Amino acid sequence: MTKPADKPTEFVDSLAKGLAILESFDASRPEMTLSEVAKTVNLSPAAARRSLITLEHLGFIGRNGKRFHLTPRILTLGSSFYAATRIEEVLQPELRGLIEKFGDASSIGTLDGHDVIYIAHVSVQRARRASANVGARYPAFATSMGRVLVAGMTDEKRRAWLSDLRAERLTSKTCIDPCRLGEEIEKVRENGYATTVDQLDYGITAIAVPVRNAEGDTVAALNSSGYTGLVTPEQLVEERLPELRATASHIAHQITRYPVLGSVLAP
């Protein structure tokens, strides 16, 4: 959420509180009591109660006794975004093309703070590992796409991003040392791609490249991933990097034809 000092004069706190409540539900918190909601989003019980009642009246929140939960209507927000940006028409076919060539999984993501958000995804995998469904968000430092996106920042923004980062170990191989991460991201900037092995979750080996706009700014990242043990970073670079770069270039061209998508992906 926007920091208080950065709030514009017409900022609506009540709306921000409601959105924060909607975002607080996830796999670990599918249902919450009033007090749990208030604690999770750092609101007073009275403020949380008003927001919950409003969201319930609008149909986005339901309740089971004293426990609140999201309703299917919340899906309309995401589907509206998908329809407005033409992602199904513009991005999904590109990912399907990569899947036809390499199998495994392919995604497109953007940066949101210290997380990468998946805005398009195609997969032939059904493994028990971190899900990369559309709308999923993961720590950017531990993903190939996240590192590509951070590498695309200006030096000043990248230093600030790394300085504010609070990295947590996700596997025994996760790199959480700020200096090492800085070095890795610098290599990504020089090479124009990133590879990761078991950084986010065990079993994920991935490669990502930037998607750039007409000005050369990195506006998204495109990846291809496979099972650790069945594919190596070296194989991904040799076999998939050229096609990834070609696809990223075609996506960049497509974005110029769809103003709303271009605006959404603006840096």
Side-chain angles (χ1 to χ4, degrees), residues 217-247:
D217 299 317
T218 298
V219 296
L222 167 69
N223 86 344
S224 179
S225 64
Y227 289 113
T228 301
L230 295 181
V231 66
T232 66
E234 293 76 18
Q235 286 176 304
L236 292 180
V237 171
E238 180 179 354
E239 299 171 5
R240 304 189 190 186
L241 180 57
E243 190 66 30
L244 273 177
R245 282 176 165 162
T247 301

Side-chain angles (χ1 to χ4, degrees), residues 15 27 59 71 94 116 120 134 136 139 149 166 185 190 195 228 247:
L15 176 59
T71 68
E94 303 290 347
V116 60
V134 172
L149 291 164
R166 299 294 178 266
I185 290 172
E190 294 173 355
T195 59
T228 301
T247 301

Side-chain angles (χ1 to χ4, degrees), residues 81-96 108 119-120 250-251 254-255 257-258 261:
F81 168 79
Y82 227 57
T85 55
R86 313 282 284 274
I87 285 177
E88 179 65 34
E89 179 180 343
V90 182
L91 302 183
Q92 291 294 113
E94 303 290 347
L95 299 185
R96 294 190 191 103
I108 297 174
I119 63 171
H250 189 253
I251 289 172
Q254 288 285 82
I255 289 173
R257 300 173 53 204
Y258 297 87
L261 182 57

Side-chain angles (χ1 to χ4, degrees), residues 17 19 21 32 42 61 70 83 125 165 187 194 228 232 244:
K17 292 172 183 177
L19 293 173
I21 287 175
M32 288 187 282
N42 195 29
I61 290 285
L70 299 178
Q125 301 176 6
L165 177 65
K187 290 180 183 177
T228 301
T232 66
L244 273 177

